[in-house]
Every structure is written in structure tokens, then in C-alpha cells.
Amino acid sequence: MNKNRKQKGTEAFCITVILIFLLLLVKILYQPETETERHTVRSLGSCWYQIRDGEKITLELPCQVLTDADGKAVLYNDTLSAEDEGKIVSTRGIQDHLEVYMGDRLLYHYSDSGFLKNRPMKGKLWADICLPDETGEEPLCFIFEGKENSLLYVEAPILGSFSSVARHHLQASIFLILMVLGMLGMGIVAVIVFLYARHRQMMEKRFLNVAFFLILCSLWCIFDSGLYQMYGRQSAAGTLISFYAFMLMSIPMLRFVQNTVRSEVRWIPQIWVFLLYGNTILQGILNLLFQIPFIHMLFLTHLLLFTGVASMILLLWNEYRKTGTQELSLCLKAFAVLGISGVLALILYWIFSIYWYDTVFQFGILLYIAFLFWGLLCKVANDSQFRLEQAVYERMSLEDRMTGLKNRKAFEKCLEKIQDDSLLLENALLLFIDIAGLKEINDTYGMQLGDEAVIRTARSIQTAGNMISEQQAECFRIDGDEFAVVVSDPQKLPSEWIRLIKAEMENEAPGKYHVRLKFGYSYLRKTDGVLNSVSDWKQQADRMQHYNKKETAEADYDL
């Protein structure tokens, strides 16, 4: 009872913590704005202009702007006033070598903080520019750089206080936040299901593979995000962690495939495990010794991931053709979804240099895990049902249905265990009880009263065992009219067992005919401590019951 109360209390505490966390998250992301706060963040998309050939060309952002012969696009805005002093102008465009000026004063110029980033990685970032004291005196100037006479897409900046701008970025990253929370939540569920399955004696390691995969994915998503790169204290270290997490996160899923396919083909995923480990170690050495940036070696990781996923799809397809199981079908679909999302992400990354390529891949990861989870949960449910049925069948096969006592099969297993543990036992007691003349009772009074004699005898033996309270006593019906009691390290004498069984039979006997019980017993160890063999042990008890009249207790009971 106390244990159940503790469990319920723990569950209630966890649910409360989760609800509080969700409420805080909602408050942060969707905090209602007052009338004053509504104007703390505003779009700065109007009244922009370019000067081309001495003419002023008005622009409304977002839009595409044309670069000049030097490959530069210069945009001006003179709508800021002294009231905007100290506010933050936040915009994208770092990938286009953005520089921000106010008059001749440089307000912003991007520089890598200890970790070289490429164009798609820079595209995730915002440029947050704090407006100086002289705001309103000079126009704000944005300078972008691209190819000569090419079109650049320029987004509309936003203007507001630091806290309001940061909250705006947080709201813009809601999908990423939900993705990370979803991955972590599914990882926790995977660990819980693994522990449950292990408790039910089902070692399903693939749930741990899924959990490790989701943890690495979460690390990659968090540290590779624009939010962390903008506001994290150690953005270079975070980027390094994201690279290593990205290089290693496929390994748990290769282990997953290993635990799914036949043992004869498990060497195929193992090869890719070695390749990914080798790639991680090699890139770390090259970066450490020769200062080769990780982004210059990223193509190697992408190539390994692409070919690895393709190989796993082919392997699973070949296995599915041979077995046709639903489990392999779901795994194959999961890897197909992962492969498609990965290819789309690579196209967006390498060909179009689009910064939200990772969102496509992250969504594919969630679908991938959903397929695998469904397959694993179905398998665990089926295995649990099978094991439950097996346990019920096993219990029924060891139980005498008429009396509820264990049967002869269970008796033989018990003796085998006694034999295996004999050196560890101080002693063991074997007590035989026999209903004398059960055939005559059946012939004279009918099978029903004969069954009653068996049931009441079994009940008397069981009740006597409960009263004696031996810690390791087991009662059996080993034949139609024969019973046995086995006691490991007995504390009570056989005479006490016999006395209590007699007393219970007297309490059970309201009837009209006599039931005679015969008793015989034997100890596993002789008086000098020498062990008997199990066969000698049984023979001694049987001999006492049938032949040694002086040691046999025999009683008559009216039934």
C-alpha cells in the first residue's frame, strides 16, 4: 500500500512539474502585450531606397534587390529618430556579407567567433544591431555583397528593445523548440519502455538505440540553431558539439538495424559504424593538427550518411523479401522517409544554400522515429501477450486443477532444484501423505465423495503449511491419492506437520465414512550430516510410509 502511494505521489509530482514547465513556456512565447509593448517590436520594411545612377529608387522590404557592378547592394533608411536610440535592429542577410553603417560609423560586421561557418550556417543567424546615440541624424545603411548584377533577397528588419526582439526570435523558433521537446520526450519514453520491457524479462535494446539517437539529434538541433548561435555564451563550442553530434548520431540507428536483421548480415551495419567512428576521429585530428575547418570536411560526413542510409534501405529490403514481417516493413518505411528527407535537405544545403535545410531533415527524423516506435511498441505488446500466455500455460502445467496444489511435474522440478542447491542447504524435509483406500471410497460412495476426500486432504495440508509458516515449504499432489511436502532448511519437526494435518482433517470431517491417511518422511542429510541422493531421500520417505509401521502415523477420519 505504501509503495503504491509513493508511486502515485511520484507520478503526481512529475505531472505537476511538466504542467508548470508548459505553462511557463506558453507564458514566455505567448505573453500578452500591453498597449505600450505592442510598439516595442515593429517591422522596418518601409521607406528603404537605393541610389542608382544618381536616382533614388524606393523599396518595400522584403524584396529582391539588384547588385551593382561591384556585386554590392546598398540600402538606406532615414525614418529612424532619436526616440529609437538604444533599440535593436535585427535582420537576416549575414550570408550575404552584411555590413551596417550609420553615416560613416560601422555598426555591424560579421566575424566568425572561433568557428568558421559556411553560407547556410550563417543564414540561420540574425544580425542584432544596437542603435547609437546619434540615431536620427544620419540614415541607416545596409550593404550586401553578392555576384555582379545579380538579385539578392532582402528580408524586412525588425526594430525594438532587446527583450522584445529576443522574444520575437524565440517565437520564430517555435517549430525548433517543439521539435527538440518532441525528440527529448520520445527519448524519455524509449528509456521507460526499455526499462519496462527489461522488467518483463524482454531485453529490447533497440529502445536504447532510439533513445541515444534522439539525444544526439537534440544536441545537434539545439547547438546548431540560430537561437544558440545568437545568444549562447559559447557559440563556437556549441557549434563544435553540434558537428560531433551530427557525425555520431547515425551510429545508434545502425545498431538498431543490427538488432533487427539476421545475425548473418549484421556485419554490414557494423562496417558503417566503423566508418562513422573513423570519420569523426579523422576530422578531429585534421582540425586539431592542421586547422582544417570542419565545414570543409562536411561533405565527407554527408556522403557517409547518404550512402549509409541507402545501404540500410537495401539491406532491410532484402531482409523483408525473405521474411515479410511487419516489423521489417515498418523499419524499411522509416529508413525510406529518413532517406527522402535527407536527400531533400542535402539538395537545399548544397545546391540552393538555404538555411532551413535542417528543418526538413528534422521533420523527417520525427517521422522516422514515429515509424520505428510504432513497430517496436507493437512488437513489445505482442511479446508481452505471448509471454503472459506462456506464463499462464506454464503455471497451469505445474498446477493440479482439482486441488490447486502444485502437480507432479512441479514436484520433480522442485527435487531437481534441491539437488542443485544441496550443498548450500543445511537440510531438507520430504513428507509423503497418502489417502489409503481411495479406490474403495470411489467404488462404495461414488466419485464425487472420493473427489471431496482428495480436496479436503489437500486443503488440510495447505492449511497446516500456512499455520507452520515455514519460509520454504511447498505442497504437491503427486498422484491421485498421494501428496508431498518439501521443506528447505526446515524449522519444524515432521511430528508437528503430522499433528497439524491430523487436526485440520478432523475439522474438515463431518461425514459418514472413514478416510485413512498414511505419513512417511525423510531428511536430505543423515544424522552425521552426510547428504543422501535425491532417489535415496525419496525411497526412505516412501519406505517409512508403506513398511515401517512403527514410524508411520495412520489416522481415520469421518468424512
Side-chain angles (χ1 to χ4, degrees), residues 48-100:
W48 288 89
Y49 60 90
Q50 280 184 296
I51 299 176
R52 296 181 67 89
D53 300 327
E55 295 184 3
K56 185 177 180 180
I57 303 173
T58 304
L59 300 172
E60 290 288 330
L61 302 183
C63 69
Q64 289 184 326
V65 297
L66 185 66
T67 61
D68 57 22
D70 296 326
K72 293 185 178 181
V74 184
L75 280 70
Y76 300 93
N77 188 295
D78 52 13
T79 60
L80 299 178
S81 65
E83 294 179 356
D84 297 319
E85 176 186 326
K87 290 185 179 180
I88 301 296
V89 173
S90 182
T91 186
R92 292 190 185 273
I94 296 173
Q95 70 275 17
D96 294 318
H97 310 284
L98 172 66
E99 289 184 343
V100 180

Side-chain angles (χ1 to χ4, degrees), residues 48 61-63 65 67 71-75 89-100 108-111 117-129 141-147 151-158 169 226 230 353-356:
W48 288 89
L61 302 183
C63 69
V65 297
T67 61
K72 293 185 178 181
V74 184
L75 280 70
V89 173
S90 182
T91 186
R92 292 190 185 273
I94 296 173
Q95 70 275 17
D96 294 318
H97 310 284
L98 172 66
E99 289 184 343
V100 180
Y108 178 84
H109 174 77
Y110 175 79
S111 60
K117 295 180 176 66
N118 57 16
R119 182 179 175 83
M121 294 173 65
K122 293 176 183 177
K124 298 178 182 180
L125 306 180
W126 299 276
D128 285 359
I129 304 107
C141 176
F142 282 11
I143 301 176
F144 300 92
E145 185 176 345
K147 294 181 180 179
L151 290 174
L152 294 179
Y153 182 77
V154 179
E155 295 188 13
I158 60 172
H169 293 333
M230 287 293 298
S353 296
I354 294 176
Y355 66 87
W356 44 265

